Amino acid sequence: MTEPLPHLPVSQERDPLDGLMELIPTPDEPPRLRADAARNRTRLLEVASRLAGECGAANLTMEGVATAAEVGKGTVFRRFGDRTGLLIALLDHHERELQSAFLTGPPPLGPDAPPTERLKAFGAAVVRHEHAHRDLYLAARAEASRHHTSPATLLRLSHICMLLRRAGARGDIELLAQTLLGYLDITLVDHLMSRRGMTLERLEAGWSDLVGRLVAVE
């Protein structure tokens, strides 16, 4: 028996037919921290961001961050859990920018555009966004199971489900949305660009064509 879709984050424009529950639309947002703890977390992220820029996200370690920040390794683990949690936290700022664009930004990506046009713009925006930050995204996606359940991924899934419904797509909306998300996976995009020689423009055109086929009304 198929398990029900987890409570998903939705935008303020949520479709009443979309039956998805609200969740804070940010990756692994921690509980409200005391001011000093929040400052320490921010400092650790600044150090981690600098190290990632210098040595590459794939080479970023919890020990390295602790040493550079002059704190105990346990402090870094308490703040982020593990290396994947640290990488996801580093992506938070970039992901918030993307979320703001598709939740409240100008059309065609944001509201006030037809759902099919928004879907097409969404795919193009994600491809370019993750390509621009591919080092961090590729490193953070090493543990696929956590990627599929992260709040950021659930927000994207919820957003696509909502647009598919509004565009009149037929069939299992959640599975259609998962199929579309699979197209945007950074590991696939990076492979197609670096090993198959495809351009961002070709990938965007392919996304637009796929969306058109899924929402076509017979």
Side-chain angles (χ1 to χ4, degrees), residues 80-136:
F80 306 105
D82 56 19
R83 181 175 176 278
T84 300
L86 173 62
L87 291 171
I88 291 175
L90 282 174
L91 287 172
D92 179 71
H93 174 68
H94 302 305
E95 190 69 29
R96 284 172 185 256
E97 292 176 340
L98 176 65
Q99 290 171 355
S100 177
F102 71 74
L103 290 176
T104 61
L109 183 58
D112 300 324
T116 299
E117 294 305 310
R118 292 189 69 192
L119 268 174
K120 293 178 179 180
F122 178 78
V126 170
V127 168
R128 289 187 175 273
H129 170 81
E130 294 199 351
H131 177 66
H133 306 290
R134 61 188 178 279
D135 188 35
L136 270 176

Side-chain angles (χ1 to χ4, degrees), residues 2-214:
T2 302
E3 295 183 358
L5 184 67
H7 293 322
L8 302 181
V10 294
S11 67
Q12 295 178 349
E13 51 169 359
R14 71 193 293 190
D15 189 325
L17 297 178
D18 196 347
L20 302 177
M21 302 300 291
E22 293 184 357
L23 183 67
I24 298 174
T26 54
D28 291 344
E29 185 73 11
R32 185 177 299 277
L33 301 175
R34 299 189 310 275
D36 57 341
R39 284 193 296 271
N40 290 338
R41 184 177 187 274
T42 298
R43 177 170 174 271
L44 290 175
L45 286 175
E46 291 173 349
V47 171
S49 180
R50 174 173 59 80
L51 291 177
E54 294 174 353
C55 65
N59 299 313
L60 188 66
T61 66
M62 303 290 272
E63 294 82 355
V65 173
T67 299
E70 299 182 340
V71 299
K73 185 171 63 174
T75 298
V76 183
F77 277 95
R78 283 193 297 274
R79 288 287 177 264
F80 306 105
D82 56 19
R83 181 175 176 278
T84 300
L86 173 62
L87 291 171
I88 291 175
L90 282 174
L91 287 172
D92 179 71
H93 174 68
H94 302 305
E95 190 69 29
R96 284 172 185 256
E97 292 176 340
L98 176 65
Q99 290 171 355
S100 177
F102 71 74
L103 290 176
T104 61
L109 183 58
D112 300 324
T116 299
E117 294 305 310
R118 292 189 69 192
L119 268 174
K120 293 178 179 180
F122 178 78
V126 170
V127 168
R128 289 187 175 273
H129 170 81
E130 294 199 351
H131 177 66
H133 306 290
R134 61 188 178 279
D135 188 35
L136 270 176
Y137 274 99
L138 286 170
R141 297 288 171 84
E143 192 174 342
S145 60
R146 286 183 61 174
H147 160 63
H148 290 303
T149 58
S150 73
T153 298
L154 293 178
L155 175 61
R156 293 184 184 187
L157 178 63
S158 173
H159 184 68
I160 293 177
C161 283
M162 180 271 293
L163 292 177
L164 285 171
R165 290 178 186 274
R166 291 188 176 183
R170 299 181 180 181
D172 189 316
I173 296 298
E174 183 185 349
L175 290 180
L176 290 177
Q178 294 284 10
T179 298
L180 288 172
L181 278 180
Y183 183 103
L184 302 176
D185 182 78
I186 183 59
T187 57
L188 173 62
V189 170
D190 187 67
H191 166 75
L192 293 177
M193 295 186 67
S194 62
R195 294 180 174 80
R196 300 295 297 164
M198 296 187 185
T199 63
L200 285 172
E201 290 75 19
R202 181 178 176 184
L203 294 175
E204 291 173 12
W207 167 268
S208 182
D209 178 68
L210 178 59
V211 168
R213 293 172 186 271
L214 290 178

